[in-house]
Protein backbone atom coordinates (compact mmCIF):
# COMPACT_ATOMS: atom_id res chain seq x y z
CA UNK A 1 0.00 0.00 0.00
CA UNK A 2 1.26 3.45 -0.85
CA UNK A 3 2.14 5.78 2.01
CA UNK A 4 0.32 9.11 2.21
CA UNK A 5 2.42 11.79 3.90
CA UNK A 6 5.12 10.37 6.04
CA UNK A 7 4.29 6.82 7.08
CA UNK A 8 1.24 6.95 9.37
CA UNK A 9 -0.60 4.25 7.42
CA UNK A 10 2.47 2.01 7.37
CA UNK A 11 2.48 2.07 11.19
CA UNK A 12 -1.08 0.73 11.42
CA UNK A 13 -1.62 -2.84 12.52
CA UNK A 14 -2.15 -5.39 9.79
CA UNK A 15 -4.52 -8.30 10.26
CA UNK A 16 -5.51 -7.56 13.83
CA UNK A 17 -7.38 -10.86 14.05
CA UNK A 18 -4.44 -13.17 13.31
CA UNK A 19 -4.00 -15.71 16.08
CA UNK A 20 -7.29 -14.91 17.81
CA UNK A 21 -8.72 -18.09 19.37
CA UNK A 22 -11.99 -19.51 18.10
CA UNK A 23 -15.07 -18.49 20.09
CA UNK A 24 -16.00 -22.10 20.81
CA UNK A 25 -14.26 -25.43 21.07
CA UNK A 26 -16.45 -27.09 18.45
CA UNK A 27 -16.64 -25.16 15.18
CA UNK A 28 -19.09 -26.19 12.50
CA UNK A 29 -18.08 -23.58 9.92
CA UNK A 30 -15.71 -20.61 9.91
CA UNK A 31 -15.40 -18.07 7.10
CA UNK A 32 -12.83 -15.26 7.34
CA UNK A 33 -11.58 -12.30 5.35
CA UNK A 34 -8.86 -13.32 2.91
CA UNK A 35 -5.75 -11.25 2.35
CA UNK A 36 -4.57 -8.26 4.36
CA UNK A 37 -6.27 -5.20 5.81
CA UNK A 38 -5.22 -2.44 8.21
CA UNK A 39 -6.80 -1.47 11.51
CA UNK A 40 -8.00 2.13 11.17
CA UNK A 41 -9.32 3.70 14.36
CA UNK A 42 -10.07 7.05 15.97
CA UNK A 43 -7.18 9.47 15.63
CA UNK A 44 -4.87 7.07 13.79
CA UNK A 45 -3.81 9.75 11.29
CA UNK A 46 -3.59 12.60 13.81
CA UNK A 47 -7.16 13.82 13.28
CA UNK A 48 -9.26 13.59 16.44
CA UNK A 49 -12.57 12.22 15.17
CA UNK A 50 -13.86 10.77 18.42
CA UNK A 51 -17.64 10.71 18.55
CA UNK A 52 -18.27 10.96 14.82
CA UNK A 53 -15.60 9.24 12.73
CA UNK A 54 -16.19 5.53 13.30
CA UNK A 55 -17.91 5.02 9.95
CA UNK A 56 -15.04 6.73 8.13
CA UNK A 57 -12.50 4.52 9.93
CA UNK A 58 -14.34 1.32 9.05
CA UNK A 59 -14.54 2.52 5.45
CA UNK A 60 -10.78 3.10 5.52
CA UNK A 61 -10.24 -0.47 6.72
CA UNK A 62 -12.33 -1.75 3.79
CA UNK A 63 -10.37 0.53 1.45
CA UNK A 64 -7.06 -0.81 2.76
CA UNK A 65 -8.17 -4.33 1.84
CA UNK A 66 -8.99 -3.19 -1.71
CA UNK A 67 -5.63 -1.43 -2.04
CA UNK A 68 -3.80 -4.68 -1.30
CA UNK A 69 -6.14 -7.38 -2.57
CA UNK A 70 -8.41 -5.69 -5.08
CA UNK A 71 -8.42 -5.28 -8.83
CA UNK A 72 -5.70 -3.66 -10.91
CA UNK A 73 -7.56 -0.35 -10.65
CA UNK A 74 -7.57 -0.33 -6.86
CA UNK A 75 -4.20 -2.04 -6.23
CA UNK A 76 -1.65 0.28 -4.57
CA UNK A 77 -4.09 3.20 -4.48
CA UNK A 78 -4.15 5.44 -1.43
CA UNK A 79 -6.62 4.87 1.36
CA UNK A 80 -8.72 8.07 1.36
CA UNK A 81 -8.37 10.50 4.25
CA UNK A 82 -11.46 11.73 6.08
CA UNK A 83 -11.53 15.00 4.06
CA UNK A 84 -11.16 13.00 0.83
CA UNK A 85 -14.11 10.78 1.79
CA UNK A 86 -16.20 13.88 2.39
CA UNK A 87 -15.06 15.40 -0.89
CA UNK A 88 -15.99 12.23 -2.79
CA UNK A 89 -19.52 12.31 -1.39
CA UNK A 90 -19.89 15.98 -2.35
CA UNK A 91 -18.51 15.27 -5.84
CA UNK A 92 -21.15 12.55 -6.28
CA UNK A 93 -23.78 15.07 -5.08
CA UNK A 94 -24.81 12.79 -2.24
CA UNK A 95 -23.89 15.55 0.24
CA UNK A 96 -23.99 19.37 0.03
CA UNK A 97 -20.75 21.40 -0.07
CA UNK A 98 -21.21 22.24 3.62
CA UNK A 99 -20.48 18.58 4.39
CA UNK A 100 -16.77 19.15 3.80
CA UNK A 101 -15.04 19.84 7.09
CA UNK A 102 -18.10 18.83 9.12
CA UNK A 103 -18.38 16.19 11.81
CA UNK A 104 -21.37 14.47 10.24
CA UNK A 105 -21.45 10.70 10.45
CA UNK A 106 -21.46 8.36 7.50
CA UNK A 107 -22.98 4.89 7.33
CA UNK A 108 -22.99 1.84 5.13
CA UNK A 109 -24.81 3.53 2.25
CA UNK A 110 -22.23 6.31 2.01
CA UNK A 111 -19.44 3.73 2.29
CA UNK A 112 -20.89 1.82 -0.66
CA UNK A 113 -20.96 5.01 -2.76
CA UNK A 114 -17.34 5.85 -1.93
CA UNK A 115 -16.01 2.36 -2.67
CA UNK A 116 -17.75 2.33 -6.04
CA UNK A 117 -16.57 5.86 -6.83
CA UNK A 118 -12.93 5.39 -5.84
CA UNK A 119 -12.30 1.73 -6.65
CA UNK A 120 -15.03 0.74 -9.11
CA UNK A 121 -16.24 -1.88 -6.63
CA UNK A 122 -20.02 -2.21 -6.25
CA UNK A 123 -21.42 -3.10 -2.86
CA UNK A 124 -24.46 -4.97 -1.71
CA UNK A 125 -26.40 -3.50 1.21
CA UNK A 126 -27.92 -6.18 3.43
CA UNK A 127 -30.73 -4.72 5.55
CA UNK A 128 -31.62 -6.60 8.74
CA UNK A 129 -34.71 -4.92 10.24
CA UNK A 130 -34.97 -7.37 13.13
CA UNK A 131 -31.57 -6.58 14.62
CA UNK A 132 -29.51 -9.18 16.45
CA UNK A 133 -32.44 -11.55 16.73
CA UNK A 134 -32.72 -11.74 12.94
CA UNK A 135 -29.05 -11.78 11.94
CA UNK A 136 -28.77 -15.53 12.29
CA UNK A 137 -31.14 -15.88 9.32
CA UNK A 138 -28.48 -14.21 7.15
CA UNK A 139 -25.47 -16.22 8.24
CA UNK A 140 -25.47 -18.41 5.15
CA UNK A 141 -25.23 -15.21 3.05
CA UNK A 142 -22.36 -13.94 5.18
CA UNK A 143 -20.48 -17.24 5.00
CA UNK A 144 -20.94 -17.11 1.23
CA UNK A 145 -19.64 -13.54 1.08
CA UNK A 146 -16.37 -14.31 2.85
CA UNK A 147 -15.86 -17.54 0.92
CA UNK A 148 -16.61 -15.92 -2.47
CA UNK A 149 -15.45 -12.30 -2.18
CA UNK A 150 -13.14 -12.43 0.83
CA UNK A 151 -13.51 -8.72 1.61
CA UNK A 152 -14.26 -7.21 5.03
CA UNK A 153 -17.79 -5.95 5.70
CA UNK A 154 -19.01 -2.72 7.28
CA UNK A 155 -21.93 -2.90 9.72
CA UNK A 156 -24.02 -0.20 11.39
CA UNK A 157 -27.49 0.39 12.74
CA UNK A 158 -29.87 2.89 14.26
CA UNK A 159 -30.09 2.33 18.01
CA UNK A 160 -26.76 0.55 17.85
CA UNK A 161 -25.19 3.20 15.63
CA UNK A 162 -21.56 2.31 16.32
CA UNK A 163 -19.82 1.32 13.10
CA UNK A 164 -18.16 -2.10 13.10
CA UNK A 165 -15.88 -3.89 10.72
CA UNK A 166 -16.76 -7.56 10.25
CA UNK A 167 -13.78 -9.77 9.40
CA UNK A 168 -15.52 -13.12 9.50
CA UNK A 169 -18.35 -15.26 10.77
CA UNK A 170 -18.35 -18.51 12.70
CA UNK A 171 -21.02 -21.10 13.28
CA UNK A 172 -20.29 -23.03 16.45
CA UNK A 173 -22.01 -25.96 18.06
CA UNK A 174 -23.64 -23.62 20.60
CA UNK A 175 -23.90 -20.15 19.02
CA UNK A 176 -23.11 -18.14 15.91
CA UNK A 177 -20.51 -15.38 16.05
CA UNK A 178 -19.18 -12.38 14.14
CA UNK A 179 -15.53 -11.34 14.12
CA UNK A 180 -15.79 -7.62 14.97
CA UNK A 181 -13.09 -5.00 14.39
CA UNK A 182 -13.99 -1.98 16.54
CA UNK A 183 -12.70 1.42 15.26
CA UNK A 184 -13.42 3.28 18.52
CA UNK A 185 -9.94 2.86 20.02
CA UNK A 186 -8.13 6.19 20.45
CA UNK A 187 -4.44 6.29 21.23
CA UNK A 188 -1.02 5.29 19.90
CA UNK A 189 -0.66 2.20 17.69
CA UNK A 190 -1.06 -1.07 19.57
CA UNK A 191 0.54 -4.43 19.04
CA UNK A 192 -1.73 -7.24 17.92
CA UNK A 193 -1.76 -8.90 21.34
CA UNK A 194 -2.90 -5.66 23.00
CA UNK A 195 -5.64 -5.08 20.42
CA UNK A 196 -6.97 -8.57 21.01
CA UNK A 197 -6.59 -8.46 24.80
CA UNK A 198 -8.47 -5.13 24.96
CA UNK A 199 -11.29 -6.46 22.80
CA UNK A 200 -10.82 -4.08 19.88
CA UNK A 201 -10.99 -7.18 17.71
CA UNK A 202 -13.08 -10.01 19.10
CA UNK A 203 -15.64 -12.68 18.39
CA UNK A 204 -19.13 -11.51 19.38
CA UNK A 205 -22.10 -13.82 19.56
CA UNK A 206 -25.07 -12.61 17.54
CA UNK A 207 -27.16 -12.92 20.68
CA UNK A 208 -25.10 -10.15 22.30
CA UNK A 209 -26.08 -7.60 19.64
CA UNK A 210 -28.95 -5.14 20.10
CA UNK A 211 -32.24 -6.85 19.28
CA UNK A 212 -34.09 -3.52 19.03
CA UNK A 213 -31.76 -1.97 16.44
CA UNK A 214 -31.92 -2.58 12.73
CA UNK A 215 -28.57 -3.29 11.07
CA UNK A 216 -27.23 -2.52 7.61
CA UNK A 217 -24.22 -4.37 6.25
CA UNK A 218 -22.11 -3.17 3.32
CA UNK A 219 -20.66 -6.12 1.40
CA UNK A 220 -18.06 -5.19 -1.28
CA UNK A 221 -18.64 -7.37 -4.33
CA UNK A 222 -15.07 -8.07 -5.35
CA UNK A 223 -15.34 -11.48 -7.01
CA UNK A 224 -14.40 -11.23 -10.66
CA UNK A 225 -13.18 -7.64 -10.34
Amino acid sequence: MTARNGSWDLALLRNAHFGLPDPETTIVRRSLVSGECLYFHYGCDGQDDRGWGCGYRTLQTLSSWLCVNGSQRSYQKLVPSLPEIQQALVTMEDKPPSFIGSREWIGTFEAALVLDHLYDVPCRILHVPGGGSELHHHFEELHHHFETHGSPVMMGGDRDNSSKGILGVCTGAQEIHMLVLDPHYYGPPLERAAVQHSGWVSWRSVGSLDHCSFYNLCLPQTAGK
Side-chain angles (χ1 to χ4, degrees):
M1 185 182 307
T2 307
R4 179 169 295 283
N5 47 12
S7 59
W8 62 262
D9 54 351
L10 298 181
L12 295 174
L13 178 63
R14 291 177 180 265
N15 302 322
H17 62 293
F18 273 19
L20 191 69
D22 287 330
E24 295 185 27
T25 303
T26 303
I27 302 301
V28 177
R29 186 179 181 188
R30 181 199 309 104
S31 306
L32 300 175
V33 63
S34 61
E36 295 188 341
C37 62
L38 299 178
Y39 175 36
F40 283 82
H41 54 81
Y42 279 164
C44 63
D45 55 1
Q47 180 171 357
D48 187 350
D49 55 317
R50 285 175 288 181
W52 60 274
C54 58
Y56 296 82
R57 299 306 184 182
T58 302
L59 170 56
Q60 288 179 317
T61 289
L62 269 61
S63 298
S64 76
W65 187 93
L66 290 171
C67 290
V68 176
N69 309 283
S71 66
Q72 186 63 35
R73 178 176 174 180
S74 58
Y75 181 66
Q76 287 193 336
K77 273 196 168 185
L78 294 173
V79 173
S81 65
L82 274 61
E84 288 169 341
I85 292 170
Q86 293 183 333
Q87 180 62 64
L89 290 166
V90 171
T91 299
M92 289 182 280
E93 300 184 348
D94 179 68
K95 302 292 185 186
S98 60
F99 181 66
I100 296 177
S102 72
R103 296 188 172 192
E104 292 186 35
W105 300 1
I106 64 169
T108 53
F109 178 73
E110 289 88 352
L113 291 177
V114 172
L115 293 177
D116 196 10
H117 178 73
L118 295 180
Y119 303 108
D120 193 28
V121 172
C123 296
R124 178 185 171 211
I125 300 294
L126 176 61
H127 179 58
V128 185
S133 60
E134 188 186 324
L135 261 171
H136 69 278
H137 294 304
H138 298 278
F139 251 58
E140 178 58 38
E141 297 172 76
L142 293 173
H143 276 295
H144 177 75
H145 170 82
F146 286 108
E147 292 166 0
T148 303
H149 300 282
S151 54
V153 169
M154 177 172 170
M155 178 174 167
D158 59 345
R159 199 169 92 158
D160 178 6
N161 55 23
S162 297
S163 179
K164 304 168 183 63
I166 307 300
L167 304 184
V169 290
C170 178
T171 301
Q174 299 178 6
E175 294 190 72
I176 53 178
H177 310 264
M178 306 182 87
L179 183 53
V180 176
L181 184 65
D182 186 343
H184 295 86
Y185 167 69
Y186 181 79
L190 296 176
E191 298 294 331
R192 183 177 292 111
V195 170
Q196 295 181 7
H197 178 74
S198 300
W200 298 114
V201 61
S202 64
W203 287 105
R204 288 192 58 183
S205 68
V206 169
S208 70
L209 298 173
D210 195 323
H211 289 198
C212 297
S213 175
F214 74 70
Y215 287 107
N216 287 325
L217 292 88
C218 174
L219 286 68
Q221 304 295 286
T222 57
K225 294 298 293 182

